[in-house]
Amino acid sequence: MKRLVIILSLMLLIACSSAHDNDEKEHKDVSSETPTIDNIHTDKDIKIIENETLEKITNEYITSEGYRVIEYEDGYTTTFSPEGVLAIVKTPQSVDFTKYDYNLEELPQEEGTEFFHDLRSRDLTRIDLSNELDYLLTADFDDDTKWPSSVPKEYDIEKIKEYGMDPGLGIRKLHEKGITGQGVGIAIIDQSILVNHVEYKDSIKLYEEIHINSDSAAMHGPAVVSIAVGKSVGVAPEADLYYIAETHGVYMEDGFDWDLYWIAKSIDRIIEINEALPVDKKIRVISISLGIDNPERKNLELVKEAINRASNEGIYTISVGNSLMGTGRKPLADPNDLSSYTKGHFWRDFDNYRIKRNILVPMDSRYVASPTGNDKYVFYYSGGMSWVVPYTAGLYALCSQVNPNITPSEFNSAIYNTATKVHLDDTNDEYNILNPEGLINKIKGK
């Protein structure tokens, strides 16, 4: 089983594949709970790009629930809602990492992770942690981690969780004023999720799958959803979520074969869904935690064309890049205190010239929805750019709520004009950190 966090450059995301759970979950049909809309698609024409080379269909059928299922030669499957309905077409299973041999005699020292450590779902009860504070302060853990009685008193796990859930920078003060993203649609394209997770189950309006080959939730999807729209973690906790689970390529014997064709197809599916939504419930932003502008990835031009089509429909697509960068934060530092922020974990040793021109967004030390259960969470010491994208998408939803006429260019200009200058270390270097309250005030004044 691969459980990796790969952070290779300023513009790459974390990627992690997840194990399958043997527990069977009851399938949830929510079509009766969601509004009926007209002309989402017809059986003859999905209005999304076709590619004879990639899309080699071996089987196509309609299930008893009315879902349209397309099976491909490579073993992957696409599942759409019934015609005229927004539906959750599948309930992916949770994963159980505790079934692996994680009963440890000593703390793991994993190659390549000397600055952060994976304690998720591990049994630490046989280990003396009394002198391991420095190690623990750079560790990932989840609700299934078993702790010994020797945890240092300075390592306040509950406080770490509390701070990790808070989006920080005064976002919750905006929520108290009713600025929650209510009525605004956010679309996310990412890995499979637990559709019934308590963090976001009340926000999800649609869950479909494009080119998927797993029945289990993955690590990545639940995290990005909770950062965008989670009721406790999210920037826009009352926004409407439209989710496309997608796999951009296939796993080969010699590694992952990246192909952005399926991202393009997912964007076009979102456009199609949006066309049928009421005027006051439109999707305003798409969150894609992937570095798209990589010339080595296949079908890059198809994605750019799809993004342009979305833009023409008033939908802003945010991906890794977009002149954004993530900040670090020590686990026990208050996320609403500007002095708590540091250089992001993965870029702290990089040349800072370009980063000084970017807008910094909270990234590290987040406690987010876990794929291990509908009421379980996980703490990630190092977030990666994947966490920055849904945060910014949630912020765009807040701006769209207070000013429905906001455009991406106005949003980006306002972010720069309202950013706060900060020092992230003991040098004189200045960085631009997001100022949510100032941004909202600027947008409301337009």
Side-chain angles (χ1 to χ4, degrees):
M1 179 196 71
K2 296 183 178 179
R3 298 181 62 209
L4 304 176
V5 177
I6 306 173
I7 305 173
L8 298 177
S9 72
L10 294 177
M11 296 303 156
L12 288 182
L13 72 164
I14 320 172
C16 179
S17 60
S18 58
H20 288 209
D21 189 0
N22 293 327
D23 297 335
E24 294 186 358
K25 302 293 183 182
E26 180 181 354
H27 184 81
K28 177 184 178 185
D29 181 357
V30 298
S31 58
S32 62
E33 304 172 9
T34 53
T36 299
I37 57 179
D38 297 326
N39 301 321
I40 292 183
H41 65 71
T42 68
D43 290 340
K44 294 182 180 179
D45 183 11
I46 297 248
K47 294 197 298 182
I48 43 186
I49 57 177
E50 301 296 332
N51 183 312
E52 293 181 358
T53 302
L54 276 169
E55 199 165 346
K56 295 180 179 178
I57 298 173
T58 58
N59 193 21
E60 187 172 350
Y61 58 93
I62 305 296
T63 70
S64 60
E65 299 94 342
Y67 306 149
R68 183 185 177 191
V69 179
I70 306 169
E71 297 175 348
Y72 306 108
E73 188 177 64
D74 60 11
Y76 289 68
T77 301
T78 288
T79 308
F80 290 121
S81 303
E83 184 175 353
V85 173
L86 297 177
I88 295 177
V89 301
K90 185 189 286 186
T91 304
Q93 301 172 359
S94 60
V95 293
D96 181 10
F97 297 135
T98 63
K99 65 185 179 182
Y100 297 95
D101 186 17
Y102 287 161
N103 192 333
L104 304 180
E105 300 288 344
E106 58 183 18
L107 289 173
Q109 301 288 342
E110 300 173 28
E111 183 179 355
T113 63
E114 54 271 2
F115 299 115
F116 65 98
H117 307 280
D118 188 1
L119 301 180
R120 292 172 294 170
S121 299
R122 308 223 175 182
D123 187 340
L124 310 176
T125 55
R126 300 184 183 183
I127 304 175
D128 182 0
L129 298 179
S130 55
N131 294 316
E132 299 292 349
L133 179 61
D134 289 343
Y135 181 105
L136 294 175
L137 287 173
T138 60
D140 298 348
F141 64 85
D142 63 18
D143 287 355
D144 289 319
T145 300
K146 294 182 179 180
W147 300 96
S149 59
S150 58
V151 174
K153 63 180 181 180
E154 297 90 348
Y155 189 69
D156 188 337
I157 296 173
E158 295 307 312
K159 180 62 71 173
I160 290 172
K161 292 178 181 180
E162 176 188 340
Y163 282 161
M165 274 192 168
D166 192 333
L169 297 182
I171 289 288
R172 286 184 173 171
K173 289 184 178 180
L174 296 177
H175 295 167
E176 292 171 0
K177 298 177 181 179
I179 304 171
T180 60
Q182 186 174 25
V184 180
I186 295 179
I188 296 179
I189 302 172
D190 211 283
Q191 298 176 353
S192 301
I193 64 172
L194 294 178
V195 296
N196 290 317
H197 199 286
V198 296
E199 186 62 21
Y200 50 75
K201 68 178 182 178
D202 294 333
S203 296
I204 190 167
K205 305 301 179 184
L206 171 100
Y207 175 85
E208 294 185 347
E209 297 187 336
I210 292 181
H211 197 239
I212 291 290
N213 70 338
S214 171
D215 292 325
S216 298
M219 158 264 186
H220 210 262
V224 297
V225 173
S226 55
I227 290 170
V229 302
K231 67 178 184 180
S232 301
V233 178
V235 175
E238 293 188 340
D240 296 332
L241 173 66
Y242 301 86
Y243 196 91
I244 303 292
E246 174 272 347
T247 304
H248 33 269
V250 295
Y251 285 97
M252 311 292 286
E253 290 184 1
D254 57 349
F256 190 77
D257 183 22
W258 293 88
D259 199 314
L260 301 182
Y261 167 73
W262 303 103
I263 291 279
K265 190 162 186 175
S266 298
I267 294 172
D268 278 332
R269 176 60 176 158
I270 289 167
I271 296 170
E272 186 178 43
I273 291 164
N274 189 58
E275 288 175 349
L277 293 174
V279 173
D280 60 345
K281 295 289 185 181
K282 292 293 187 180
I283 297 168
R284 297 298 307 273
V285 61
I286 301 173
S287 171
I288 307 175
S289 288
L290 181 70
I292 289 176
D293 286 330
N294 186 332
E296 296 183 0
R297 291 177 179 169
K298 300 176 185 176
N299 287 309
L300 173 61
E301 289 305 314
L302 289 182
V303 173
K304 290 181 177 180
E305 292 167 5
I307 290 173
N308 286 336
R309 286 191 288 274
S311 179
N312 291 336
E313 297 299 321
I315 305 173
Y316 181 29
T317 301
I318 301 177
S319 60
V320 172
N322 281 83
S323 298
L324 300 169
M325 184 49 65
T327 64
R329 181 181 60 81
K330 293 181 179 180
L332 288 166
D334 185 348
N336 293 294
D337 184 344
L338 283 179
S339 66
S340 296
Y341 290 96
T342 65
K343 294 179 179 179
H345 175 266
F346 79 87
W347 61 266
R348 61 186 179 185
D349 296 325
F350 289 4
D351 181 354
N352 297 328
Y353 175 72
R354 292 181 181 273
I355 300 174
K356 292 176 187 176
R357 298 184 297 176
N358 292 346
I359 298 299
L360 300 183
V361 177
M363 175 181 70
D364 292 344
S365 293
R366 297 305 308 273
Y367 185 60
V368 296
S370 170
T372 57
N374 289 328
D375 60 352
K376 293 185 177 181
Y377 293 79
V378 53
F379 176 80
Y380 296 112
Y381 166 70
S382 176
M385 285 298 294
S386 288
W387 289 189
V388 170
V389 174
Y391 192 109
T392 309
L395 194 64
Y396 191 76
L398 299 188
C399 291
S400 298
Q401 179 189 353
V402 300
N403 184 350
N405 297 318
I406 186 69
T407 66
S409 61
E410 290 172 341
F411 172 76
N412 289 322
S413 175
I415 278 184
Y416 276 96
N417 290 335
T418 59
T420 303
K421 297 289 185 181
V422 294
H423 297 278
L424 300 180
D425 52 26
D426 56 3
T427 70
N428 290 323
D429 294 337
E430 280 192 334
Y431 297 85
N432 301 298
I433 195 167
L434 187 70
N435 177 3
E437 183 179 12
L439 172 64
I440 292 296
N441 289 338
K442 182 79 171 178
I443 294 299
K444 286 173 69 175
K446 286 188 176 294

